[in-house]
Amino acid sequence: MLGWLRKSIFALRLNNFYNIMPIISIRGNEMPASPIRKLAPLADAAKQRGIHVYHLNIGQPDLPTPRAALDAIRNIDRTVLEYSPSQGYRSYREKLVGYYKKYDINLSADDIIITTGGSEAVLFAFLSCLNPGDEIIVPEPAYANYMAFAISAGAVIRTVTTTIEEGFSLPKVEKFEELINERTKAILICNPNNPTGYLYTRREMNQIRDMVKKYDLYLFSDEVYREFIYTGSPYISACHLEGIEENVVLIDSVSKRYSECGIRIGALITKNKEVRNAVMKFCQARLSPPLIGQIAAEASLDAPEEYTRETYDEYVERRKCLIDGLNRIPGVYSPIPMGAFYTVAKLPVDDSEKFCAWCLSEFNYEGETVMMAPAAGFYTTPGAGRNEVRIAYVLKKEDLVRALFVLRKALEAYPGRVED
Amino acid sequence: MLGWLRKSIFALRLNNFYNIMPIISIRGNEMPASPIRKLAPLADAAKQRGIHVYHLNIGQPDLPTPRAALDAIRNIDRTVLEYSPSQGYRSYREKLVGYYKKYDINLSADDIIITTGGSEAVLFAFLSCLNPGDEIIVPEPAYANYMAFAISAGAVIRTVTTTIEEGFSLPKVEKFEELINERTKAILICNPNNPTGYLYTRREMNQIRDMVKKYDLYLFSDEVYREFIYTGSPYISACHLEGIEENVVLIDSVSKRYSECGIRIGALITKNKEVRNAVMKFCQARLSPPLIGQIAAEASLDAPEEYTRETYDEYVERRKCLIDGLNRIPGVYSPIPMGAFYTVAKLPVDDSEKFCAWCLSEFNYEGETVMMAPAAGFYTTPGAGRNEVRIAYVLKKEDLVRALFVLRKALEAYPGRVED
């Protein structure tokens, strides 16, 4: 049918019956606009009107990049900014081996491929491991761009829903097994989680391991927030799971760890040589990861322990400030996130997308307002997360306190307020 | 059939009849290893043995990056290396408008999307404009990574062959029309051309324009070498062609222009708003192009005219040196490239892939050898380019002279020599 249609259109074109512009691709249409970035025009307009916007919507930390990284950039003594190796500089990869060792992740430099941000690592993992139509199971709410990379690779994301009522803990094995079929090829987790801040327990990680083993799946594990775990709970990496070493593809990035989102340096790590060989072909096609970013990332590994501790302590403070503050606003509920620097909170509103847009376009309190990410964009289940927002705690404490106050005022004034 | 097979394998897996590792994707298997980079292990081994290798194989210029770019990096005064906008900094895009104006390409900043190298621009153009199975017609020999990006996007490259005998000029319209069918969606050109150095004439560009118009095709035009045109012939950009403004997607990169391949800054430029909107969704998914690279690229636009002139003059010299030298070696023929910094030369050998490998693994003259890119990797037609190599003239003149001498000695000693 599609073939017939195509041929007919082609015949019409050839006979000059009509003249149209070429059309964009199906996946170009299907690609979601970023739920985090799509309110940006409203925020810009608010700023144009002189309104101060507290950015709770995006994971761009305001904390300084390590001095060692900035110094390395400032002291660059090259005369030619040449290509680096497609897999990234060996010196950097070797140094990373020591970094992972501290987390009991035992690697050789050959297991590590440097990518242009964690984003490219996700895309290359999908392109290398999945065929068009293959399915990936992802607990939702989930980082929205996984969906974008899946569409880019022609893969299909199926979600198991986690709920705010259960603190976003992992559903039972049965919920996963309901989705598993002959196209299921992978499970993807983000741990600690963006957007919920949830940290998977040992029991949950073992549950994932057993499913991965039973069904011969890949386990894509995005662990870019491992530095930011605030409870006494242990960090269980996918790389710690025994018996599935060849199934695990670790996604990493220096963006959040060192507050250097702009340098675009990530990593794809796997013990599976076949996967690495396939990924390397995609790496060679794009020639090399950013040169100066690698220099900065390598130098960041020399940041003193105080850097990590101060950054950590700052997030501990902010988290307490945000979560306590949120739960004190009538009708608002946030679980206590165990890691990362986000929380998903429930608001007493009809539709958080409308509410977030309203905050930017119709509301201000003493010339200020807040920008948040409506949570619906992190779910694929229609209607899910409709009264939830993702809030990032990447602002300094006094700003967070003020933002919470402005949010309370906004909720009081919002015409679409709904009581529980 | 495939469905049945899949289901059977799934049943076997579930019943634990066997336990295998997950397999990599079909496209991961189909992806070509880079023809430019795949001899790298032999070169490394030669260097290990103490042999000096002249790198004629890769387009990595040895000329300095503009001082303005290096200074901008050294003077960076930020404390946080934050995300930049997904479409790139506006200040940079506005400055680029002036750059293109000098080439009679009239743009607004909104027409320009900054990408992570020209590579990402090609990939995003394919992902946004082509569906899996859609075909792109490309004159061959062609930059090998176009094939890799097509496979990534599920698109199919069909080639019209240009020949060294005809100086790599464009074949007649009929040769293109033989390939055009209902899946044909685009023509892709590289102008000036990598690997041949060919520059399309006005007549050829008009021929392309007419086909694009007649069949409603996209025209992807990679023009990263526009600074390097050595004959009096005019540079005809795809953007100069009238009546197909909405069909043209220009691919650009600062890598070669400013000898800054490592910073990974390119651009995708189109007047077609629908295409830009689709491309922007892929851009938002990968968050942002490299921050420091953009700072360097923007500063490079301030490089004095002498920089461009000196770079240009240097390539003019090298081109003369290389082409004269090649044509003086018995049995070797190179057309005179009009642009870029490559030539495709014919060698008196049985198989240039074997010859290039032999140069690295079995030959040396006074402790030196040459590395070239076998041309077969730039063709899709089996057997084409078998006695051709791509040679880049990115080495200084005395090195080129010496490399030519070593190449002559290698051809004299090579056991697979074939006379015309």
Side-chain angles (χ1 to χ4, degrees):
Chain A
M1 169 64 189
L2 201 65
W4 169 84
L5 192 66
R6 211 157 38 215
K7 275 182 190 139
S8 310
I9 292 175
F10 184 66
L12 284 170
R13 276 160 65 187
L14 282 195
N15 293 289
N16 281 316
F17 272 112
Y18 75 115
N19 201 325
I20 49 148
M21 286 301 117
I23 50 169
I24 66 161
S25 68
I26 295 167
R27 70 190 141 215
N29 276 320
E30 279 178 354
M31 280 283 285
S34 161
I36 305 165
R37 297 194 171 214
K38 77 182 171 188
L39 293 172
L42 296 182
D44 290 342
K47 287 173 197 170
Q48 287 282 326
R49 297 194 305 275
I51 292 167
H52 180 79
V53 178
Y54 289 103
H55 280 277
L56 304 171
N57 61 307
I58 194 162
Q60 167 60 63
D62 65 343
L63 296 178
T65 303
R67 170 156 292 276
L70 295 168
D71 285 348
I73 294 171
R74 291 192 196 110
N75 295 330
I76 198 163
D77 67 347
R78 294 164 188 249
T79 54
V80 186
L81 300 178
E82 75 279 7
Y83 289 123
S84 62
S86 298
Q87 69 272 46
Y89 281 115
R90 176 158 279 274
S91 59
Y92 176 39
R93 289 182 291 119
E94 279 172 357
K95 222 159 149 186
L96 278 175
V97 170
Y99 162 81
Y100 289 109
K101 186 98 191 128
K102 287 189 283 178
Y103 288 93
D104 259 326
I105 298 174
N106 298 308
L107 303 170
S108 82
D110 290 334
D111 299 331
I112 303 171
I113 295 172
I114 305 304
T115 55
T116 307
S119 302
E120 190 181 71
V122 176
L123 178 63
F124 285 0
F126 288 1
L127 286 172
S128 300
C129 300
L130 308 173
N131 290 321
D134 281 353
E135 297 182 1
I136 318 161
I137 300 179
V138 186
E140 68 174 1
Y143 178 58
N145 288 324
Y146 296 146
M147 177 61 85
F149 298 124
I151 291 173
S152 300
V156 178
I157 287 197
R158 306 285 307 272
T159 53
V160 287
T161 307
T162 72
T163 64
I164 196 165
E165 289 75 18
E166 297 178 288
F168 299 112
S169 61
L170 209 61
K172 291 207 168 48
V173 173
E174 293 72 35
K175 287 282 171 199
F176 284 83
E177 291 193 326
E178 277 170 23
L179 297 181
I180 291 179
N181 65 70
E182 71 271 19
R183 300 307 306 248
T184 310
K185 201 83 171 277
I187 293 174
L188 166 61
I189 58 171
C190 177
N191 186 37
N193 192 268
N194 171 8
T196 66
Y198 189 78
L199 179 74
Y200 293 112
T201 63
R202 181 173 294 280
R203 193 188 52 72
E204 287 170 324
M205 289 302 284
N206 286 346
Q207 170 187 335
I208 290 169
R209 178 200 60 201
D210 295 343
M211 284 188 292
V212 163
K213 215 169 179 170
K214 180 169 176 193
Y215 298 102
D216 289 324
L217 304 175
Y218 284 109
L219 176 56
F220 303 130
S221 189
D222 175 348
E223 304 180 5
V224 306
Y225 295 99
R226 78 172 63 78
E227 268 73 13
F228 308 117
I229 294 176
Y230 310 108
T231 61
S233 313
Y235 155 60
I236 317 288
S237 168
C239 294
H240 295 149
L241 304 175
E242 279 172 29
I244 58 166
E245 291 78 2
E246 296 280 316
N247 304 58
V248 169
V249 179
L250 186 71
I251 308 295
D252 213 340
S253 163
V254 300
S255 291
K256 315 292 174 164
R257 187 180 307 156
Y258 302 123
S259 200
E260 49 197 21
C261 302
I263 66 170
R264 312 310 300 131
I265 295 297
L268 183 152
I269 294 169
T270 180
K271 295 269 176 199
N272 187 317
K273 196 163 186 297
E274 262 196 275
V275 171
R276 286 204 310 267
N277 288 346
V279 169
M280 273 308 297
K281 292 198 267 182
F282 293 95
C283 288
Q284 288 183 351
R286 63 75 163 120
L287 307 170
S288 63
L291 164 71
I292 307 166
Q294 283 180 85
I295 292 171
E298 183 169 344
S300 299
L301 288 166
D302 293 328
E305 248 179 66
E306 299 93 72
Y307 175 84
T308 316
R309 200 172 52 240
E310 282 170 19
T311 305
Y312 179 83
D313 289 348
E314 178 66 27
Y315 284 124
V316 168
E317 281 288 300
R318 290 177 180 189
R319 165 172 163 271
K320 186 171 160 39
C321 165
L322 177 72
I323 307 304
D324 287 358
L326 281 173
N327 285 319
R328 268 192 217 117
I329 301 175
V332 174
Y333 169 68
S334 168
I336 299 172
M338 292 168 277
F341 40 60
Y342 308 97
T343 193
V344 170
K346 201 164 116 181
L347 305 183
V349 297
D350 54 347
D351 181 332
S352 64
E353 213 153 326
K354 275 194 216 160
F355 175 66
C356 291
W358 177 86
C359 284
L360 293 168
S361 53
E362 302 190 36
F363 171 79
N364 78 82
Y365 182 76
E366 296 177 346
E368 298 185 321
T369 192
V370 290
M371 183 170 184
M372 297 168 296
F378 301 94
Y379 291 87
T380 63
T381 304
R386 207 171 166 181
N387 58 354
E388 298 168 9
V389 289
R390 185 191 75 169
I391 297 179
Y393 41 104
V394 291
L395 301 182
K396 53 177 181 289
K397 231 172 105 181
E398 55 266 41
D399 286 345
L400 275 182
V401 169
R402 182 68 190 167
L404 283 162
F405 185 72
V406 172
L407 172 61
R408 175 192 290 252
K409 291 292 172 189
L411 286 167
E412 284 168 11
Y414 180 56
R417 186 175 174 111
V418 175
E419 298 302 334
D420 241 350
Chain B
M1 171 64 189
L2 201 66
W4 170 83
L5 192 67
R6 210 155 40 213
K7 275 182 189 137
S8 309
I9 292 176
F10 184 66
L12 284 170
R13 275 159 66 186
L14 282 194
N15 293 291
N16 280 318
F17 272 112
Y18 74 116
N19 200 326
I20 49 149
M21 285 301 117
I23 51 169
I24 66 160
S25 68
I26 295 167
R27 71 189 142 216
N29 277 319
E30 280 178 354
M31 278 285 284
S34 162
I36 306 165
R37 298 195 170 212
K38 77 182 172 187
L39 293 172
L42 297 182
D44 289 343
K47 288 173 197 170
Q48 287 283 324
R49 297 194 306 276
I51 292 168
H52 179 78
V53 178
Y54 290 103
H55 281 278
L56 304 171
N57 60 307
I58 194 162
Q60 168 61 61
D62 66 342
L63 296 178
T65 303
R67 172 155 290 278
L70 295 167
D71 286 348
I73 294 171
R74 290 194 197 109
N75 295 330
I76 198 164
D77 66 347
R78 293 163 189 249
T79 53
V80 186
L81 301 177
E82 76 279 7
Y83 288 123
S84 62
S86 297
Q87 69 272 44
Y89 280 116
R90 177 159 279 274
S91 59
Y92 176 40
R93 290 184 290 121
E94 279 173 356
K95 223 158 147 186
L96 279 175
V97 170
Y99 163 80
Y100 288 109
K101 185 97 190 131
K102 287 190 282 177
Y103 288 93
D104 260 326
I105 298 174
N106 297 308
L107 302 170
S108 82
D110 290 334
D111 299 329
I112 304 171
I113 295 171
I114 305 306
T115 56
T116 307
S119 303
E120 189 181 73
V122 177
L123 178 63
F124 285 0
F126 288 1
L127 286 173
S128 300
C129 299
L130 307 174
N131 290 321
D134 281 352
E135 297 182 2
I136 317 163
I137 301 179
V138 186
E140 70 174 358
Y143 179 58
N145 287 324
Y146 295 147
M147 178 61 86
F149 298 123
I151 292 173
S152 300
V156 178
I157 286 197
R158 306 285 307 272
T159 53
V160 287
T161 307
T162 72
T163 66
I164 195 166
E165 289 76 17
E166 298 178 286
F168 298 113
S169 60
L170 209 62
K172 290 207 169 50
V173 173
E174 292 71 35
K175 287 283 171 198
F176 283 84
E177 291 193 327
E178 276 170 23
L179 297 181
I180 292 180
N181 66 69
E182 72 270 19
R183 299 309 305 248
T184 310
K185 200 83 169 275
I187 293 175
L188 167 61
I189 58 171
C190 178
N191 186 37
N193 192 269
N194 171 8
T196 66
Y198 189 78
L199 179 74
Y200 293 111
T201 62
R202 182 174 293 279
R203 194 188 52 74
E204 288 170 323
M205 289 302 284
N206 285 346
Q207 171 187 334
I208 290 170
R209 177 201 60 200
D210 294 344
M211 283 188 292
V212 163
K213 214 169 180 170
K214 179 169 175 191
Y215 298 102
D216 289 324
L217 304 175
Y218 284 109
L219 175 56
F220 304 129
S221 188
D222 176 347
E223 304 180 5
V224 306
Y225 296 99
R226 77 172 65 77
E227 268 73 15
F228 308 117
I229 294 176
Y230 310 108
T231 61
S233 312
Y235 156 59
I236 316 287
S237 167
C239 294
H240 295 148
L241 303 175
E242 280 173 28
I244 58 166
E245 291 79 2
E246 296 281 315
N247 304 58
V248 169
V249 178
L250 186 72
I251 308 295
D252 213 338
S253 163
V254 301
S255 292
K256 314 294 172 163
R257 186 180 310 157
Y258 302 122
S259 201
E260 49 196 22
C261 301
I263 66 169
R264 312 311 299 131
I265 296 297
L268 183 152
I269 293 169
T270 179
K271 295 270 177 198
N272 187 318
K273 196 163 186 299
E274 262 196 274
V275 171
R276 287 204 310 267
N277 288 346
V279 169
M280 273 307 298
K281 292 197 268 183
F282 293 95
C283 288
Q284 288 184 349
R286 64 75 163 117
L287 306 171
S288 64
L291 163 72
I292 307 166
Q294 283 180 84
I295 292 170
E298 183 169 342
S300 299
L301 288 166
D302 293 328
E305 248 179 67
E306 298 92 74
Y307 176 83
T308 315
R309 200 173 51 240
E310 282 169 21
T311 305
Y312 179 84
D313 289 348
E314 180 66 26
Y315 283 124
V316 168
E317 282 289 299
R318 291 176 180 188
R319 165 173 164 271
K320 186 170 161 38
C321 165
L322 176 73
I323 308 304
D324 287 358
L326 281 173
N327 285 320
R328 268 191 218 117
I329 301 175
V332 174
Y333 170 67
S334 168
I336 300 173
M338 292 168 278
F341 40 60
Y342 309 98
T343 194
V344 170
K346 202 164 115 181
L347 304 183
V349 298
D350 56 345
D351 181 331
S352 64
E353 214 153 326
K354 276 194 215 158
F355 175 66
C356 291
W358 177 87
C359 284
L360 293 168
S361 53
E362 301 190 36
F363 172 80
N364 78 82
Y365 182 75
E366 295 176 348
E368 298 184 320
T369 193
V370 290
M371 182 169 184
M372 296 166 297
F378 300 95
Y379 291 87
T380 63
T381 304
R386 208 170 166 182
N387 58 354
E388 298 168 9
V389 288
R390 186 191 74 170
I391 298 179
Y393 41 104
V394 293
L395 302 183
K396 53 177 181 286
K397 231 172 105 180
E398 55 266 40
D399 286 347
L400 274 182
V401 169
R402 182 69 189 166
L404 282 162
F405 185 72
V406 172
L407 172 59
R408 175 192 292 252
K409 291 291 173 192
L411 285 168
E412 285 168 10
Y414 181 55
R417 186 178 174 107
V418 175
E419 298 303 334
D420 241 349

